[in-house]
Amino acid sequence: MLRNQRGVTYLMVMFAIVLIGISLSVVGKQWVIAAKRDHEAELLFRGTRIQNAIARYAADYEIMKGIRSHRYPLNLEQLTQRPRRYLQAVYKDPITGQDFELIRVGAEVRGVRSRSKARPLDRVRFTDAETYDQITFQAIQPRGQPCRTVPNPINPLNPLGAGPC
C-alpha cells in the first residue's frame, strides 16, 4: 500500500512541475509583449521630442542666423547646447538601445529613425510601417506666410510693387 502512494506522489510532483513550466512560459510571453509595447511608446515619445526640437531649431534660424550658418542642426548634440537648449539630452533608440539613424539632407539633420528591422506590434500608430526603420520622425520644412497681393502703402498707383512679400 505504501509503495503505491509513493508512485502517485511522484506523479503529482511531476504534474505540478509541468504546470508551473507552462504557466511561466505564458507569463514570459506576456512580459515580452508588454516590454515591446513600452519600447514602442518610448520610441514614439523620443522620436517626437527630437522631431519637435529640430523644427524649433529650424524655426529660430531667422533670429539666430548671425551666429549660425545653417538652418538645421549638423548633429543632435547641437540641440542640447546653449544658448538655447531645444532638447534636454540626446536620446538613444529604445528599440535597439543604440543611437538613432539620422535622416540627413546634405550635411543637415532633418530627422531620425530606428535601425531595427523588427515588426511593430502597434498597428494603429504605425499603420504604414512594416518595420521600425520605416517609421521616421522628420521635421517639416517651415513655411512663411502666404504671399498676397495687397495695395502698396508706399505707392498706391503701383499695387504690385514693393508690398509686404
Side-chain angles (χ1 to χ4, degrees), residues 40-56 86-87 91 100 112 125-126 135-139:
E40 286 182 0
E42 190 65 21
L43 173 70
L44 191 62
F45 171 78
R46 291 179 183 184
T48 304
R49 291 285 296 255
I50 293 170
Q51 176 183 1
N52 292 340
I54 293 171
R56 285 192 315 270
Y86 300 92
L87 195 61
Y91 297 116
F100 277 102
V112 294
R125 290 189 211 148
F126 308 127
I135 302 167
T136 60
F137 299 97
Q138 194 166 354

Side-chain angles (χ1 to χ4, degrees), residues 2 14 18-20 29 34 46 51-52 54-55 58 61 73 81 100 106-107 121 125 134 136-138 143 147 149 160:
L2 187 61
M14 292 303 285
V18 168
L19 281 177
I20 290 171
K29 287 179 185 177
R46 291 179 183 184
Q51 176 183 1
N52 292 340
I54 293 171
Y61 174 71
Q81 296 171 350
F100 277 102
L121 287 176
R125 290 189 211 148
Q134 294 176 353
T136 60
F137 299 97
Q138 194 166 354
R143 297 182 184 191
C147 196
T149 304
L160 299 178

Side-chain angles (χ1 to χ4, degrees), residues 55-75:
R56 285 192 315 270
Y57 184 93
D60 283 350
Y61 174 71
E62 293 301 322
I63 298 167
M64 307 290 272
K65 67 181 167 184
I67 59 173
R68 78 178 192 225
S69 60
H70 47 277
R71 180 176 293 276
Y72 291 92
L74 301 177
N75 54 45

